[in-house]
Amino acid sequence: MKTTMLRKAALMGLSACIGLTGAISAQAQEAKEQYLPSLVYRTGPFAPSGIGFADGFADYVTLINERDGGINGVKIRLEECETGYANDRGVECYERLKDVSRTATAAPPWWRRCPPGSPMR
């Protein structure tokens, strides 16, 4: 008796997951554009590495949009915010950019590295 109840519960959970996955993928397919905030550091002590990384990432997103028409037909809208490799400015940029659009795919955390001399380093 218990095994049939467990099987029913497992099947209900599985069907709920499948239904939710279908709804999320349908919503993503309807979107014409996906927002992606990019926290960059073109200024500050680590600018020599930050400039190349930020430019390379922006070029890659441009390549995907122009060559492939985006990802599965959904273009990526990249918006940059300068952090200067400072955590306080990074947090401010994150707070500002996350409110621009509630549909951000991710907020890449590469600005959240430990500063030199930090005990975490």
Side-chain angles (χ1 to χ4, degrees), residues 35 37 79-82 89-101:
Y35 174 68
E79 185 173 342
E80 290 186 355
C81 184
E82 174 62 45
R89 288 177 59 192
V91 170
E92 182 269 325
C93 280
Y94 170 76
E95 292 295 331
R96 185 165 30 99
L97 291 178
K98 79 173 184 175
D99 291 334
V100 169
S101 171

Side-chain angles (χ1 to χ4, degrees), residues 36-58:
L36 183 64
S38 182
L39 307 171
V40 299
Y41 47 97
R42 295 177 192 272
T43 62
F46 297 99
S49 63
I51 292 169
F53 184 79
D55 288 344
F57 187 68

